[in-house]
Each structure stands twice: as structure tokens, then as C-alpha cells.
């Protein structure tokens, strides 16, 4: 099947120009001016639309177990929401069980995804128990298409690792063509502050933010950056960077010439810790905004936008980790420490960034493509199959109406969530059609993909940018 997309404005991280694009099967095979419609079986008229590479979201938690509950989107509902938002590839976190192997973790998550997927997906693996055997496994990960590991510096007594684990993992990853990721917060200090807050009778959601101050993220980020340097300039990717001081630690490493990268997530660009205070009608409503690291101050938002524009932040992910308000967030009614951590956003990333980034004049459409698709695709070994529009790339394509206005709402979103963090935002920018490897998966309001059509992507080693 050959599809010709005509007269759209093709946007890559480098250029934006009007051209036609031919797809043969799953792949882009030709880009040019005035291509003959007779080349194709079907023609899609993209006049007045942008033609974007499908979004790449490298930080999600679908169907994730957490203290007896599971995150509220599985690989079908999460992919459905992603596709309607213009994201065609994501990388989710598989998590090693204590005493388990990394291969088992990846296999478990692959089992969760395989029959449900409608977009393409890969996995990082989070290390929780670093034995000698697991060290050896890190070196083998690229053979199974997994080229990133994650270490949590927080979540004491569950996911958190110590500095020795961090350092040894960095060394082994560096020597194996694997990118090291860190969740950078000082989990020990957070544990102390949490206990003190609860002992003092402070149980409300706002104390989640007050017991995880930005200094503890900045300290952990700086520690990880320095350890990566000593580990032979191990490539390091700091996930969900939220605040000016943590970003400064990343920038300092980059200024020294280290291979240090960071992302932020959509929520940190639009909300502040005041959102955890809840509303007059529902004081617990702030639980909807509980994520780690927590939401910060307006001044941090300013620093994050600046970091995106100047390149110290490589990309924006969602950290989509959805917990339904009624059945799941309310597990923490008596204690902020029991509120499941995480917020939804897999569907909202592109239009929120189009509105806040492109329409506000902060960035060009090409820069928008760089931070939502190309940079993450490069760093996570997906490029040039994913993340760009080029001959030979997968035909993962979004036909994007940059002027379409809509109001974000849980009543119309496509996730399994009972709330939308961006409820009521009036934004511009919406996918008109979304293609995954040449197949139209979203056409206006219609989902056309079958569960199981999404594929696992065997990733290469990071392309350091
Ligand atoms: O609050 C969050 N971010 N939950 C998901 C797990 C993580 O730390 O990324
Ligand atoms: Zn995290
Ligand atoms: Zn996360």
C-alpha cells in the first residue's frame, strides 16, 4: 500500500518546508515537490497542515504496580490516549524485582504490552538490586534492544539505590553502550522530613511538596552528575528535572563537557506547588497533583522554559503515571505519604507544548519537533527509524492542525483517567490524522488501530547529541 501526503508543511528538527511525502508500506520512501499522485494508492491532502514526525515520549508508567494497585492506564488505554495526542512511540519503565533479573523485568512488561499495544514501544529497565549477575546483565541489555537503565535515588525502602550501586551501574553502562537514567532526589532526607511532618500531624497533600524541597533534588542531581564524571564520563540522562537549582547542576556538567542530558515533563511547565493546596470545595483535590519530584515555583517554570530554549533540557516527556482520583489517589486521605505518586499527561504533551512553546513565541515548530521527537529518539537509540521525517524512516506521522482550538477535558480525553490535569485549558494544536508505520491509527475522532498492532522497538545505543 502506497500513501502520498500532499502539500503539507513538513517539519523536522532542522527545517520546515512545503513538500509531498510518499509512504510505501511502513516506510517513508520519497520526499519531494509536486510528486505525482499516480505514484500512490491513496492521497491525503495536507494543505494548511503541518506534517510532524510522531511524538516520542521516553518516560511513562503504564500498568505499573505500586503498593497493591496498578497505574490506571494499561498498554491499550495508554496507547489510545498517546495516539490521540500525536505520540507514536514511547519508552516505558520495566522494574527489576528484588532478587530478580533484568531480563525477567523486561519480559514481564513485554507481556503487559504485547496484545494491547497500538503504538510502538520500548523499555528501560530500573535496577533495584545490583548483584554481580545483574552487573553482567547490563552489558547484555543491548542484545535484547534495551539500551537504558534507570536508578532511583529516592523512594526509600522500595526502589531507592545507594551511591555504590549508582556508581557501579554508571561504569558498566558506559562500557556497554547503555544510557544511565536517574530519578534525582535525596530519598534519605525525604524520609526524615516525611516522618517529622506526619508526627507533627501534617497529613495534607501539600506536605508531599514541603517534604521534598528543591534543594534535595539539586543535591541528588549534582551528586549523580559528579559520579557520572568520575565513572569515565558515563552518559547520564536526568529524568523529570523540575527546578532551577537541579537544572544548574545539569548545565554545570554540560559546561564541563560531560555527556549529561535532562528532560522536564509537561506538568512542571504549567503547574506549581500551590496546586497541591486543593480547593475550597475539596481540600484533598491537591492529591491530583502529587508527583515526585513535586511541582515547584513559578520561577522554576521560567528556568525550565529557558533550559528548553537554550538546549540544556533536551526533551519533554510526560512521566504519565496515572492514578484515578476516587479509587487510587484517595488511598492517601489520611496521609500524604500514601497518595500514589504520579500524574497523567500522555495525551496532552504536544498541544500543551505547542500552545506554551510555539504559539507563545518561545520556540519554532522545528524546536518543538526537536524536544518532543528528535532529541529523545536520538538519545534513546530510536533514531532515525523514529523521531524524524526522512527517506528510510518509519512512517510515524502526525498531520497537525496548528490552529485548531479545543478545551482540554476528562470528558473528551482517551485515557482511563477520571480527571485530566489540564482540565479547562483552552489550547491550539491538534492531530487531524496520526499514522504509525504507514497505518492511519487516528482519523479525527476515530480510533482505527487494533490492539496488538503496536510493536516493540529494538533500540540501538544512544546517539549522544
Ligand atoms: O511521581 C512520579 N513521578 N511517579 C512515577 C515514578 C517516578 O518517580 O517517575
Ligand atoms: Zn521518578
Ligand atoms: Zn517516572
Amino acid at each position: 500500500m502506497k500513501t502520498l501526503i500532499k502539500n503539507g508543511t513538513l517539519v523536522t528538527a532542522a527545517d520546515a518546508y512545503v513538500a509531498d511525502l510518499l509512504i510505501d508500506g511502513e516506510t517513508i520512501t520519497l520526499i519531494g515537490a509536486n510528486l505525482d499522485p499516480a505514484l500512490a494508492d491513496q492521497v491525503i491532502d495536507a494543505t494548511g497542515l503541518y506534517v510532524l514526525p510522531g511524538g516520542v515520549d521516553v518516560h511513562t508508567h503504564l500498568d505499573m504496580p505500586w503498593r497493591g494497585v496498578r497505574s490506571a492506564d494499561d498498554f491499550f488505554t495508554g496507547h489510545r490516549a498517546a495516539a490521540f495526542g500525536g505520540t507514536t512511540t514511547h519508552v516505558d519503565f520495566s522494574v527489576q524485582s528484588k532478587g530478580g533479573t533484568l531480563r525477567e523485568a523486561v519480559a514481564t512488561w513485554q507481556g503487559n504490552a504485547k496484545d494491547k499495544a497500538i503504538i510502538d514501544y520500548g523499555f528501560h529497565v530500573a535496577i533495584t538490586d545490583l548483584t554481580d549477575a545483574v552487573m553482567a546483565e547490563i552489558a547484555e541489555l543491548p542484545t535484547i534492544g534495551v539500551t537504558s537503565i534507570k536508578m532511583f535515588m529516592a523512594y526509600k525502602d522500595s526502589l531507592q539505590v545507594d551511591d555504590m550501586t549508582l556508581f557501579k551501574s554508571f561504569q558498566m553502562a558506559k562500557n556497554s553502550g547503555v544510557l544511565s537514567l536517574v530519578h534525582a532526589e535525596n530519598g534519605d532526607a525525604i524520609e526524615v522530613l516525611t516522618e517529622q511532618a506526619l508526627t507533627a500531624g501534617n497529613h495534607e497533600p501539600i506536605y508531599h511538596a514541603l517534604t521534598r524541597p528543591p534543594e534535595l533534588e539539586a543535591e541528588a542531581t549534582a551528586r549523580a552528575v559528579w559520579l557520572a564524571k568520575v565513572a569515565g564520563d558515563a552518559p547520564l540522562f536526568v529524568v523529570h528535572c523540575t527546578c532551577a537549582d537541579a537544572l544548574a547542576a545539569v548545565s554545570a556538567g554540560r559546561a564541563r563537557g560531560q555527556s549529561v542530558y535532562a528532560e522536564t515533563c509537561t506538568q512542571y511547565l504549567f503547574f506549581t506547588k500551590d496546586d497541591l493546596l486543593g480547593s475550597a470545595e475539596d481540600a484533598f483535590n491537591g492529591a491530583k497533583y502529587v508527583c515526585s519530584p513535586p511541582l515547584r515555583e513559578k520561577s522554576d517554570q521560567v528556568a525550565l522554559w529557558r533550559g528548553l530554549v537554550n538546549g540544556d533540557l533536551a526533551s519533554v516527556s510526560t512521566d504519565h503515571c496515572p492514578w484515578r482520583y476516587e479509587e487510587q489517589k484517595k488511598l492517601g486521605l489520611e496521609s500524604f505519604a500514601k497518595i500514589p505518586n504520579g500524574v497523567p499527561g500522555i495525551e496532552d504533551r504536544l498541544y500543551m507544548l505547542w500552545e506554551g512553546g510555539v504559539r507563545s513565541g518561545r520556540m519554532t515548530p522545528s524546536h518543538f519537533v526537536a524536544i518532543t521527537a528528535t532529541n529523545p529518539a536520538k538519545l534513546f537509540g530510536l533514531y532515525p527509524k523514529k523521531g524524524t521525517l526522512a527517506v528510510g524512516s518509519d512512517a510515524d506521522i502526525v498531520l497537525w492542525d496548528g490552529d485548531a482550538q479545543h478545551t482540554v477535558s476528562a470528558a473528551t480525553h482517551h485515557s482511563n483517567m477520571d480527571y485530566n490535569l489540564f482540565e479547562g485549558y483552552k489550547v491550539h494544536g491538534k492531530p487531524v490524522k496520526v499514522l504509525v508505520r504507514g497505518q492511519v491509527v487516528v482519523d479525527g475522532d476515530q480510533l482505527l488501530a487494533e490492539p496488538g498492532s503496536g510493536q516493540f522497538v529494538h533500540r540501538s545505543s544512544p546517539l549522544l547529541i
Side-chain angles (χ1 to χ4, degrees):
M1 173 78 161
K2 292 187 180 176
T3 304
L4 181 62
I5 300 176
K6 276 199 81 66
N7 301 319
T9 300
L10 274 56
V11 187
T12 68
D15 304 295
Y17 56 99
V18 175
D20 301 341
L21 180 151
L22 184 69
I23 300 164
D24 188 351
E26 300 194 339
T27 311
I28 299 171
T29 52
L30 188 61
I31 293 173
N34 303 316
L35 296 184
D36 185 351
L39 289 170
D41 305 302
Q42 62 168 346
V43 176
I44 299 175
D45 181 12
T47 306
L49 300 176
Y50 291 100
V51 181
L52 310 177
V56 177
D57 185 348
V58 294
H59 190 156
T60 59
H61 302 273
L62 299 180
D63 209 352
M64 186 187 78
W66 177 267
R67 296 182 185 160
V69 285
R70 297 187 84 85
S71 58
D73 276 314
D74 65 12
F75 280 81
F76 176 67
T77 63
H79 282 193
R80 182 178 62 194
F84 274 99
T87 289
T88 54
T89 305
H90 76 123
V91 188
D92 206 87
F93 287 92
S94 62
V95 181
Q96 179 201 11
S97 318
K98 294 265 162 71
T101 70
L102 304 186
R103 275 178 190 271
E104 281 163 2
V106 175
T108 300
W109 260 259
Q110 267 168 334
N112 295 341
K114 191 172 158 295
D115 296 332
K116 295 184 176 167
I118 58 174
I119 64 170
D120 288 351
Y121 57 94
F123 296 108
H124 318 281
V125 62
I127 293 177
T128 60
D129 191 5
L130 187 69
T131 59
D132 289 346
V134 169
M135 278 289 273
E137 263 199 293
I138 294 175
E140 295 297 314
L141 285 175
T143 64
I144 58 166
V146 173
T147 51
S148 43
I149 55 171
K150 160 106 172 266
M151 279 69 68
F152 288 90
M153 299 168 77
Y155 303 125
K156 186 90 181 143
D157 297 329
S158 58
L159 300 169
Q160 186 174 328
V161 300
D162 59 16
D163 286 353
M164 189 185 285
T165 297
L166 204 59
F167 187 66
K168 286 168 78 173
S169 305
F170 286 174
Q171 285 184 325
M172 183 55 96
K174 149 95 187 165
N175 293 332
S176 311
V178 168
L179 182 63
S180 293
L181 278 55
V182 284
H183 170 131
E185 285 185 294
N186 186 316
D188 288 343
I190 288 167
E191 187 71 6
V192 174
L193 292 175
T194 301
E195 275 176 29
Q196 289 170 348
L198 292 173
T199 304
N202 297 322
H203 295 269
E204 299 79 13
I206 185 65
Y207 286 94
H208 174 78
L210 297 178
T211 54
R212 308 180 86 104
E215 292 85 347
L216 296 185
E217 183 185 342
E219 181 277 328
T221 305
R223 182 162 30 109
V225 171
W226 282 117
L227 289 176
K229 180 169 191 300
V230 180
D233 189 17
L236 177 69
F237 187 87
V238 178
V239 302
H240 49 40
C241 179
T242 73
C243 59
D245 289 338
L247 178 56
V250 170
S251 305
R254 291 174 61 78
R256 282 191 295 272
Q258 277 185 251
S259 307
V260 177
Y261 309 91
E263 66 173 16
T264 191
C265 302
T266 327
Q267 54 273 21
Y268 300 111
L269 297 164
F270 290 91
F271 301 106
T272 69
K273 80 174 196 304
D274 290 350
D275 289 297
L276 276 79
L277 288 167
S279 59
E281 308 79 58
D282 181 6
F284 189 69
N285 195 48
K288 291 179 178 172
Y289 300 84
V290 164
C291 55
S292 295
L295 301 169
R296 303 297 191 191
E297 308 288 347
K298 272 265 174 240
S299 55
D300 294 303
Q301 289 182 1
V302 172
L304 295 177
W305 281 112
R306 196 182 308 123
L308 282 171
V309 170
N310 73 19
D312 276 345
L313 287 172
S315 56
V316 180
S317 301
T318 61
D319 195 3
H320 181 79
C321 190
W323 306 104
R324 288 171 65 87
Y325 183 55
E326 289 300 330
E327 306 96 298
Q328 297 182 313
K329 286 286 186 181
K330 284 192 174 173
L331 293 170
L333 268 174
E334 307 296 324
S335 160
F336 70 87
K338 294 195 174 141
I339 300 170
N341 282 202
V343 297
I346 202 166
E347 184 166 351
D348 312 297
R349 182 177 65 128
L350 294 193
Y351 50 69
M352 292 311 299
L353 290 174
W354 186 263
E355 185 70 31
V358 178
R359 284 191 65 98
S360 71
R362 285 186 173 107
M363 60 183 70
T364 62
S366 284
H367 200 95
F368 166 87
V369 164
I371 63 170
T372 58
T374 315
N375 291 349
K378 286 180 175 171
L379 286 169
F380 288 89
L382 294 158
Y383 184 88
K385 196 174 157 69
K386 310 288 189 190
T388 193
L389 301 174
V391 171
S393 296
D394 281 358
D396 294 349
I397 292 174
V398 179
L399 300 189
W400 181 259
D401 182 344
D403 295 322
Q405 255 189 297
H406 55 112
T407 304
V408 183
S409 176
T412 49
H413 72 196
H414 299 84
S415 126
N416 190 32
M417 281 294 286
D418 59 353
Y419 72 93
N420 188 303
L421 208 64
F422 302 92
E423 185 76 32
Y425 270 83
K426 290 185 175 34
V427 294
H428 296 81
K430 206 172 187 193
V432 173
K433 285 187 202 296
V434 179
L435 288 78
V436 174
R437 283 176 284 102
Q439 291 298 312
V440 179
V441 297
V442 167
D443 192 353
D445 293 335
Q446 272 189 296
L447 180 71
L448 301 178
E450 290 299 320
S453 57
Q455 289 182 0
F456 173 74
V457 191
H458 185 107
R459 294 184 292 124
S460 311
S461 288
L463 186 58
L464 301 181
I465 51 180

